[in-house]
Amino acid sequence: MFSKANNIAIITGAGVSAESGVPTFRGAGGYWRKWQAQDLATPEAFSRNPSRVWEFYHYRREVMLTKNPNPAHLSIAECEERLSKQGRNVTVITQNIDELHRRAGSKNILEIHGSLFRTRCISCGHEESNYNSPICAALEGKGAPDPNTHDAQIPVQQLPRCELKGCHGLLRPAVVWFGETLDADILTNAEKVLDSCDLCLVVGTSSVVYPAAMFAPQVAARGVPVAEFNMEDTPATMRFKFHFHGPCGTTLPAALAPHESEQQ
């Protein structure tokens, strides 16, 4: 099926990055200090305490700068490059905000939850990439995840600010927080990819976060084969034609390896 597919959609979630040592902040043990992501990744938390939320995201950015793509990311990127030379398309639709797919070399990526390395001004709306480490001087050395660490309580004027002329508004991470809607353009593009795909892979996602949880079941309902790669069964497993059990970094490279029928 893989050797015959022309438009392959690959939906990825936190499980694909877990093998790179990226903390998920979901489920048991997923705490930063005494909070879980859903306590900090909300517009309300940011308006209440922008310093604490920026400490959390600064910590995550700094952690990500020490992590590298794993064999799952690399095999997806290699597959996209190889198939594009055969006139076939691979598109990654990811819930991850860590940019590891980009660093692995994937080009066709839809980051439906945004990126840790993008900022948006809450005054003028300007959005841009930002790889500064630290993102601002006041955050240097801050963000330790230990539950006994005290909040830095950085004055709002010293938090990341917009550099557009005459603005100087407060920046926030350009990620989709709990309670916010996904970017309409990215969602529209994702739906186009899913509507036209003739094979779908679901890699390292628990299929519980909406709307992404509905993507693959909708594809399966069209009669298109879906292959799930996960450490465990998910609520959607029974709807899919294939389930590959185990670490994605082990199962995925084998599944995406060149098939003998491929044109060289």
Side-chain angles (χ1 to χ4, degrees), residues 72-108:
H73 297 107
L74 296 168
S75 65
I76 289 170
E78 189 278 327
C79 173
E80 179 191 323
E81 187 183 8
R82 186 178 89 238
L83 268 53
S84 71
K85 291 173 182 159
Q86 304 168 15
R88 301 158 71 198
N89 296 312
V90 174
T91 307
V92 175
I93 300 171
T94 188
Q95 296 165 267
N96 299 339
I97 59 173
D98 53 39
E99 293 200 5
L100 285 177
H101 284 298
R102 203 176 288 282
R103 281 168 51 195
S106 289
K107 305 275 192 299
N108 290 340

Side-chain angles (χ1 to χ4, degrees), residues 56-67:
F56 174 57
Y57 280 94
H58 165 68
Y59 166 73
R60 295 178 72 181
R61 285 166 58 95
E62 296 299 309
V63 164
M64 278 319 307
L65 293 172
T66 69
K67 305 299 182 191

Side-chain angles (χ1 to χ4, degrees), residues 33 55 58 62 134 137-144:
R33 294 184 188 165
E55 273 199 272
H58 165 68
E62 296 299 309
L139 279 165
E140 182 154 15
K142 303 292 192 284

